[in-house]
Amino acid sequence: MIRHLLSAADLSRSDATLLLDTTEEMLRLTEGRSVKKLPTLRGRTVVNLFFEDSTRTRTSFELAAKRLSADVINFSAKGSSVSKGESLKDTALTLAAMGADGVVVRHSASGAPYRLASSGWIDARVLNAGDGTHEHPTQALLDAFTMRRHLGDLDGRKIVIVGDVLHGRVARSNVILLNTLGARVTLVAPPTLLPLGVENWPCDVSYHLDPVLPDADAVMMLRVQRERMNAAFFPSAREYSRRYGLDARRFGLLSDEAIVLHPGPMNRGMEITADVADSERSVIVEQVSNGVCVRMAALYLMLAGADETADDVHEGAA
Amino acid sequence: MSPQTVLVKGARVLGGEPADLLLRDGVIAELGQSIDAGDARVVQADGLVALPGLVDLHTHLREPGREDAETVDTGTRAAALGGFTAVHAMANTDPVADTAGVVEQVWRLGREAGHADVRPVGAVTVGLAGERLAELGAMADSAANVRVFSDDGRCVDDAILMRRALEYVKAFDGVVAQHAQEPRLTEGAQMNEGELSGRLGLRGWPSVAEEAIIARDVLLAAHVGSRLHICHLSTRGSAEIVRLAKARGLPVTAEVTPHHLLLTEELVATYDARYKVNPPLRTADDVAAVREGLADGTIDIVATDHAPHPVEDKECEWDAAAFGMLGLETALSVVQHTMVDTGLLSWSDVADRMSFAPARIGRCDAGTAAQGRPLAVGEPANITLVDPSVSRTVDPWQSASLSRNSPYEGMKLPGQVVATFLRGRPTVEDGALT
């Protein structure tokens, strides 16, 4: 298994499949049980290092680590020395001194988890919980897991991702992971919200939503911040939702089996209407519960027996 | 100071045939074969190339204000070790070098340190704020004798202000050195915009933001008949615009940094902020274009943009890190590696791109402290002896700079400056400061 989870690109197809299979196992072991705790990470310390507010993601990681019986420390920017200007390096050295085994990092700067993992400041396993506009690999894993539960094997499945790809980290990780798993991704956005060079990504790109909906097996709507219109990415929220929002009419263009996803938090009325978000084929709430299991699987595979594994010895020697 | 008499024996002048140079009273007193040493101290220079002392049109010496990163003294030590006998010090200090007082202070600090001539660059606008002209004439008339004006670090993006600056400096034969960066296109920009910036999730700094300003300024300079200098040109498109301008006979000059001759944006994928610089590292195609441009004369000079930063400003998140890299001690090696060893430039061309031309642009090629002069009898004895046959592994911790932010750490680069003479006096000998 990989040492750090920094990008969806760190995962080979077999790694990703193992992660999703392990997630299935975690779901089976906890679903419907009154006692949801497993002893696997007893004695291990997981630090949730959040330089950026995200109650949803932090809570999900915290719950995942606790269900595996790890000791969990929440180290958030607010109320810690980070807000007093303590550097990433000093924070890392502090956590290393505390004996953290795994560090879950959320940061507004792209690449911060990468720096933490590669700088030699800390020996712990690093999990990227969202960095800047770079990546959010566990979100992509939970999306893939949710899709797999409904659609089966994702090989050849058609996934449409709609919204702010430029500023979003979810789309990046999803394109990479879904491509690894054999799915065919189409990104839909106004040209202003697509990064330069997107034509070379392993996916298709469309400026129009309607034509790609009938063939889609899943549609993922991304959050679009209304403030973007102030920087001329689109003229108005109304025009955006008219051209790219998932409303009842567009929902009707989907096949009967197609599912709707959203990584949250939603802008109801902007990228998705309330009736679609709350429809039977919306799996948005399920994504949240699957998120905990995916993070359990990641923490388990990366931390359980981490000291004894052969690759660890190898990495230590490198 | 009364310089000793030195006989440099057997140096390949501009890479040509070996000759002896007798340095006496600060000038080259004799040049030829088998010169009698007399009472002169002999410096054996077999196999070494003799170049005119290098002139850097673009450094940041950080003093006054950021003496934790560099001082005039430490920066000019690094300069001497890199073979430079003159450096231009950019104006973005604290306080900004926008008055005669500040430029004279920097100039005087350079004189006191004595490792290389320091030529202060004056700010174009007060406080680099881009709002009104600084007292350019007062700086020109000061003891610092300023001829290069730049808001480097910031672009003079206001077209009317740029036009006026270009016009105004004609009165004292000055030149405006533009940091070409359209500000709105580069808000929050972190690296070259392209497929890689999209993948890394770092805000892009598009080539067009540089090229648009260069195109505008070339046209402005043509319109008002002024000299224009382009700082740290970094893209193929920029080189094409300057080439076109020169074909039209416009008085436009341009510089390229050593790092833009060697390094590409791929290094950013490490998120290691040592590779964060402004303008950003570009693509391999841009690197090829600036090498071609330097070879065919489109780009006139190499200037280091030596930009020291303390460790904590680089050992952090990419977004939070400072822009800039060290360059003085590695410049000649990078030029040898990218331009000489590839056959694109001869040593004689290197003398032009790193000494004659920058001195001409900076108007420090005449007078009592003339720089960038030919290696000929009667000329000031500003000489750099380089051994092109050796190579070394770059170790920033050995640098004379106060800072360590070299992007070449651990790289093996060819060439070593063995000695530097400033008006006949060695500032560096046997590869070490005297």
Side-chain angles (χ1 to χ4, degrees):
Chain A
M1 195 56 199
I2 54 168
R3 181 169 175 83
H4 305 291
L5 180 55
L6 307 173
S7 159
D10 294 340
L11 298 169
S12 65
R13 189 160 184 166
S14 61
D15 285 337
T17 305
L18 174 63
L19 253 161
L20 298 182
D21 292 346
T22 308
T23 304
E24 200 80 55
E25 192 71 3
M26 293 298 172
L27 192 63
R28 192 181 61 76
L29 288 170
T30 52
E31 208 173 30
R33 302 207 177 185
S34 52
V35 179
K36 292 184 162 66
K37 231 168 160 92
L38 306 173
T40 25
L41 291 186
R42 196 155 58 198
R44 305 234 175 236
T45 304
V46 174
V47 177
N48 286 324
L49 181 56
F50 276 55
F51 291 87
E52 187 181 68
D53 278 339
S54 173
T55 311
R56 302 162 65 98
T57 306
R58 187 191 43 77
T59 312
S60 181
F61 267 106
E62 184 175 354
L63 203 53
K66 284 182 169 165
R67 284 191 180 163
L68 294 171
S69 305
D71 295 322
V72 182
I73 298 166
N74 288 318
F75 199 108
S76 72
K78 272 190 181 154
S80 79
S81 48
V82 171
S83 51
K84 294 177 216 145
E86 181 171 348
S87 72
L88 182 67
K89 180 180 180 178
D90 289 324
T91 306
L93 294 174
T94 304
L95 299 181
M98 287 174 179
D101 298 297
V103 180
V104 176
V105 193
R106 171 78 151 225
H107 204 296
S108 59
S110 299
Y114 189 97
R115 286 298 287 152
L116 206 57
S118 62
S119 59
W121 301 327
I122 188 166
D123 197 31
R125 306 295 176 110
V126 178
L127 283 89
N128 182 359
D131 62 328
T133 54
H134 179 222
E135 284 211 41
H136 195 354
T138 58
Q139 177 70 43
L141 282 163
L142 77 87
D143 292 336
F145 180 76
T146 307
M147 289 184 233
R148 202 177 76 159
R149 289 212 103 202
H150 289 269
L151 307 174
D153 192 345
L154 295 182
D155 196 89
R157 290 295 192 170
K158 290 175 180 153
I159 315 296
V160 173
I161 300 176
V162 189
D164 188 350
V165 179
L166 182 65
H167 303 96
R169 48 197 167 208
V170 177
R172 260 176 203 73
S173 292
N174 261 297
V175 168
I176 295 166
L177 182 66
L178 289 169
N179 184 61
T180 300
L181 293 169
R184 291 180 50 195
V185 180
T186 302
L187 293 174
V188 181
T192 46
L193 292 178
L194 290 166
L196 214 71
V198 72
E199 63 277 6
N200 295 322
W201 289 22
C203 61
D204 294 324
V205 174
S206 169
Y207 303 142
H208 302 284
L209 184 50
D210 286 7
V212 301
L213 289 176
D215 278 345
D217 294 302
V219 183
M220 183 186 304
M221 305 306 296
L222 301 177
R223 178 181 172 81
V224 175
Q225 292 178 6
R226 287 170 200 275
E227 308 82 68
R228 299 283 179 216
M229 70 186 191
N230 299 328
F233 287 103
F234 48 85
S236 69
R238 192 165 23 173
E239 171 150 328
Y240 181 85
S241 46
R242 204 183 297 130
R243 291 177 68 85
Y244 296 101
L246 190 60
D247 56 14
R249 182 187 67 79
R250 290 206 170 99
F251 189 66
L253 297 176
L254 289 167
S255 75
D256 292 342
E257 292 75 37
I259 56 169
V260 175
L261 299 95
H262 193 301
M266 283 183 281
N267 277 318
R268 287 175 184 250
M270 176 80 177
E271 68 267 2
I272 192 165
T273 58
D275 50 340
V276 175
D278 299 332
S279 79
E280 276 186 5
R281 272 145 57 205
S282 156
V283 296
I284 296 168
V285 177
E286 196 186 322
Q287 284 174 274
V288 178
S289 55
N290 289 340
V292 178
C293 293
V294 153
R295 285 156 185 145
M296 287 173 76
L299 288 168
Y300 168 72
L301 289 171
M302 292 173 69
L303 291 176
D307 296 339
E308 301 97 56
T309 55
D311 74 317
D312 198 49
V313 173
H314 173 74
E315 298 248 0
Chain B
M1 62 196 98
S2 61
Q4 55 195 316
T5 304
V6 173
L7 180 64
V8 176
K9 277 201 80 69
R12 295 164 52 208
V13 175
L14 306 190
E17 291 306 306
D20 299 348
L21 299 103
L22 187 70
L23 319 183
R24 185 193 295 137
D25 297 329
V27 299
I28 301 172
E30 291 182 50
L31 172 63
Q33 304 298 325
S34 310
I35 295 172
D36 181 24
D39 59 351
R41 193 164 60 82
V42 174
V43 172
Q44 289 295 346
D46 300 324
L48 307 187
V49 172
L51 297 173
L54 306 182
V55 177
D56 195 344
L57 202 64
H58 192 148
T59 69
H60 298 271
L61 300 183
R62 301 294 186 223
E63 191 175 4
R66 285 306 298 271
E67 290 83 354
D68 59 325
E70 196 79 288
T71 64
V72 171
D73 182 56
T74 59
T76 50
R77 283 171 190 267
L81 285 167
F84 291 90
T85 51
V87 294
H88 289 71
M90 278 296 174
N92 62 339
T93 47
D94 182 13
V96 170
D98 58 1
T99 62
V102 178
V103 292
E104 284 191 352
Q105 181 198 356
V106 172
W107 173 74
R108 196 168 297 114
L109 286 166
R111 292 235 306 183
E112 286 164 7
H115 308 294
D117 289 351
V118 174
R119 301 272 307 176
V121 174
V124 175
T125 67
V126 175
L128 309 176
E131 285 161 7
R132 55 199 176 90
L133 288 185
E135 289 189 349
L136 309 180
M139 291 188 273
D141 295 341
S142 75
N145 205 18
V146 176
R147 288 296 176 273
V148 182
F149 298 89
S150 181
D151 275 3
D152 181 64
R154 298 200 194 162
C155 180
V156 181
D157 66 303
D158 182 323
I160 193 67
L161 204 56
M162 186 61 183
R163 175 197 167 140
R164 296 295 179 230
L166 285 167
E167 289 177 306
Y168 194 78
V169 299
K170 282 200 280 188
F172 31 85
D173 198 22
V175 65
V176 177
Q178 177 69 293
H179 171 114
Q181 175 179 7
E182 210 291 314
R184 289 278 284 152
L185 284 171
T186 51
E187 278 173 17
Q190 297 294 327
M191 70 169 291
N192 181 49
E193 184 168 73
E195 194 181 336
L196 188 62
S197 64
R199 182 151 68 77
L200 297 177
L202 292 172
R203 190 83 69 90
W205 197 131
S207 302
V208 62
E210 176 173 309
E211 293 153 6
I213 293 291
I214 295 177
R216 182 201 72 176
D217 287 354
V218 161
L219 296 172
L220 273 177
H223 182 61
V224 298
S226 296
R227 287 204 293 147
L228 167 70
H229 179 72
I230 308 296
C231 295
H232 41 53
L233 180 153
S234 70
T235 76
R236 177 175 288 278
S238 297
E240 282 168 5
I241 294 164
V242 172
R243 189 173 286 122
L244 193 66
K246 289 194 163 173
R248 290 189 189 174
L250 301 177
V252 175
T253 56
E255 73 191 31
V256 63
T257 68
H259 47 271
H260 287 114
L261 287 170
L262 179 59
L263 308 177
T264 64
E265 62 171 0
E266 303 299 327
L267 291 164
V268 180
T270 60
Y271 291 104
D272 185 333
R274 272 182 305 180
Y275 304 116
K276 183 172 176 177
V277 67
N278 192 18
L281 299 179
R282 304 284 189 188
T283 66
D285 181 60
D286 292 309
V287 168
V290 294
R291 288 186 189 184
E292 286 160 24
L294 186 64
D296 70 17
T298 298
I299 299 171
D300 302 80
I301 65 169
V302 176
T304 64
D305 196 5
H306 178 81
H309 290 289
V311 172
E312 63 272 20
D313 288 349
K314 284 293 190 180
E315 218 173 40
C316 57
E317 301 87 328
W318 183 277
D319 282 9
F323 290 98
M325 341 178 129
L326 298 186
L328 282 167
E329 287 169 80
T330 44
L332 190 55
S333 288
V334 173
V335 169
Q336 183 187 334
H337 177 59
T338 58
M339 302 301 293
V340 179
D341 292 353
T342 53
L344 290 167
L345 290 184
S346 65
W347 284 110
S348 168
D349 296 327
V350 171
D352 176 65
R353 308 300 195 271
M354 297 186 76
S355 180
F356 303 146
R360 240 178 359 249
I361 294 166
R363 296 294 191 253
C364 57
D365 58 339
T368 52
Q371 291 279 349
R373 301 294 306 168
L375 295 180
V377 172
E379 295 288 355
N382 298 318
I383 300 170
T384 295
L385 297 177
V386 58
D387 184 351
S389 68
V390 300
S391 61
R392 61 186 166 131
T393 302
V394 179
D395 177 6
W397 295 92
Q398 303 293 319
S399 171
S401 168
L402 282 183
S403 293
R404 305 287 170 240
N405 54 306
S406 171
Y408 312 110
E409 180 169 2
M411 282 180 71
K412 203 170 179 187
L413 291 174
Q416 171 76 52
V417 171
V418 176
T420 308
F421 295 90
L422 175 62
R423 287 182 287 280
R425 180 174 56 84
T427 54
V428 169
E429 253 187 301
D430 299 325
L433 291 160
T434 55

